[in-house]
C-alpha cells in the first residue's frame, strides 16, 4: 500500500540521516511501499556517526561520505565510498537539464544499497521533489502507482523498464523524463517506452557506481552509441601500452563525479592514472565524440585468437528473439579457447535452437556464433535489476 508520509516528524527523520551531507529541500516528501526508504525515515542516529550499511547509506565522521554497492553482476558486489560533492555537482546539472522542482515526482525501482536508486533518491530530496519508492512491487502495481502519483521522472535500468512496459497498458502522460542506466537499451524497449510514456524524453546514460555519469544520449546518438560525454567529463581511449587510440581501447574517465575508493575490498579492474580512472571497460570514440561501449574486459573472451565480446552477441540475439532477456556465457573449449552458450528467456515459444544458430552463423560468423542456445523460463537477476551471470553460468553448466 503506497502512502505519502505527510508527517513532519517522519520528514525530519529522513533529512537527519543526511544532514551535513546533502541539503534536503524543505518541500521534500516521501511516497513509499513501506520498504527501505521508509526504514531510512525511522533510522534516527547522531548524523555525524551514522552507519546504515544494510541500506547502503553511511555518513562517516562528519566528512560527508556515502556508501553504496556495485551491482555485482560479474562478481562479488563491492561497497564504494564517495563524497557529497561527487554527486551534488551532477544534481545541479540534472536539475538544470531536467527542470526539476518541487512539482516533480521522481520514481526509483530498487534498493537504496545500489547507487542508481540512492542517487535518484538523494537527487529528488535535493530538489524538493516527491520520492516514489516502487521497490518490491509487481510491474502492474508499479504502473498503477506511477499513474496515481503522476510521476514525472523515472530512474530505472533497462531490465526494469522492459518489465514495467510489459506490466503497464494505459499510457501515462505525466512522465517527462526517463533516465535509463545499467546496460544496453534495445529498440524494442525504446519503442514500448515511447508508446507508454508519450511525453517523455528517454535519456540513456552510461556510467558505473565508481564513476557516476560518463556519457548520455537522448536518442540523437548513432545506433549502438551511448552518446557523448556528460558535462565536465573527459574521455580517453587507450591501447594496452597506455597510448590514446582511434580504435577500440580501454575507456579512461576524468571528471568531478568519480568515487574515492572501495570501503570493503579492492579491484584489479579499477585503476587510476593521474586524474583518470578506468574500470576495465572497452570502447571507442567516433569523430563526433560519440562513445561506443564494447563490453567489460573481464567478459571478453578469445576464440581461435579472435577477441569476442559477449555483449555484442547479446544485443544481436535480443533483436532476433524479440526479448531483452539474453545472456551469453563463455565455457572452456580445449580447441578454440572458449565456446559460447546463449541463454534466452521470454522468446517466442515456436523459435527453435537450430533456427537461431543458423542466423548467428550467417550474421556473426562461425567464431562469434554460439555453439548452443538454451531457452529458459526466466533469467536469474540481481537486486540491482541486472542479470546474475554467476547463477546463470551454473544453470548453463548443469544443462549442457
Amino acid at each position: 500500500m503506497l502512502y505519502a508520509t505527510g508527517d513532519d516528524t517522519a520528514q525530519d527523520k529522513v533529512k537527519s540521516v543526511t544532514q551535513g551531507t546533502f541539503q534536503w529541500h524543505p518541500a521534500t516528501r516521501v511516497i513509499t511501499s513501506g520498504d527501505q526508504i521508509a526504514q531510512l525515515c525511522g533510522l534516527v542516529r547522531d548524523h555525524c556517526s551514522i552507519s546504515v550499511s544494510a541500506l547502503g547509506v553511511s555518513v562517516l565522521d562528519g566528512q560527508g561520505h556515502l556508501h553504496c554497492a556495485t551491482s555485482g553482476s560479474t562478481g562479488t558486489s563491492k561497497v564504494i565510498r564517495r563524497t557529497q560533492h561527487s554527486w551534488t555537482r551532477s544534481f545541479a546539472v540534472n536539475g538544470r537539464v531536467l527542470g526539476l522542482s518541487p512539482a516533480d515526482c521522481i520514481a526509483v525501482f530498487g534498493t537504496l544499497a545500489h547507487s542508481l536508486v540512492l542517487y535518484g533518491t538523494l537527487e529528488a530530496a535535493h530538489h524538493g521533489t516527491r520520492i516514489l519508492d516502487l521497490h518490491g512491487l509487481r510491474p502492474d502495481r508499479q504502473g498503477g502507482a506511477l499513474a496515481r502519483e503522476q510521476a514525472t521522472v523515472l530512474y530505472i535500468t533497462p531490465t526494469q523498464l522492459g518489465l514495467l512496459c510489459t506490466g503497464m497498458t494505459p499510457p501515462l502522460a505525466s512522465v517527462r523524463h526517463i533516465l535509463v542506466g545499467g546496460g544496453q537499451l534495445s529498440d524494442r524497449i525504446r519503442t514500448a517506452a515511447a508508446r507508454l510514456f508519450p511525453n517523455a524524453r528517454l535519456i540513456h546514460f552510461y556510467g558505473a557506481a565508481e564513476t557516476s555519469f560518463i556519457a548520455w544520449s537522448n536518442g540523437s546518438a548513432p545506433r549502438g552509441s551511448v552518446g557523448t560525454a556528460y558535462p565536465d567529463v573527459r574521455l580517453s581511449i587507450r591501447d594496452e601500452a597506455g597510448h590514446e587510440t582511434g580504435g577500440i581501447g580501454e575507456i579512461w574517465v576524468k571528471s568531478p563525479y568519480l568515487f574515492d575508493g572501495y570501503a570493503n575490498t579492492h579491484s584489479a579492474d579499477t585503476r587510476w592514472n593521474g586524474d583518470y580512472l578506468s574500470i576495465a571497460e572497452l570502447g571507442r570514440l567516433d569523430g563526433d565524440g560519440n562513445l561506443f561501449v564494447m563490453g567489460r574486459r573481464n567478459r571478453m573472451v578469445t576464440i581461435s585468437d579472435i577477441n569476442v565480446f559477449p555483449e555484442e552477441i547479446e544485443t544481436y540475439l535480443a533483436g532476433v528473439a524479440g526479448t531483452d532477456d539474453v545472456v551469453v556465457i563463455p565455457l572452456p573449449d580445449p580447441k578454440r579457447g572458449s565456446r559460447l552458450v546463449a541463454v534466452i528467456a521470454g522468446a517466442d515459444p515456436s523459435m527453435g535452437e537450430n533456427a537461431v544458430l543458423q542466423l548467428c552463423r550467417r550474421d556473426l560468423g562461425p567464431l562469434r556464433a554460439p555453439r548452443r542456445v538454451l531457452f529458459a523460463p526466466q533469467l536469474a537477476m540481481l537486486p540491482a535489476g541486472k542479470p546474475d551471470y554467476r547463477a546463470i553460468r551454473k544453470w548453463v553448466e548443469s544443462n549442457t
Side-chain angles (χ1 to χ4, degrees), residues 46-93:
D46 175 2
H47 65 259
C48 290
S49 59
I50 291 173
S51 180
V52 192
S53 58
L55 299 181
V57 182
S58 297
V59 180
L60 305 176
D61 303 325
Q63 296 177 8
H65 286 88
L66 287 179
H67 286 183
C68 51
T70 62
S71 64
S73 56
T74 59
T76 303
S77 179
K78 297 178 283 294
V79 177
I80 71 165
R81 184 181 68 249
R82 61 169 58 253
T83 65
Q84 56 171 324
H85 297 296
S86 66
W87 271 358
T88 54
R89 289 190 63 166
S90 56
F91 289 174
V93 173

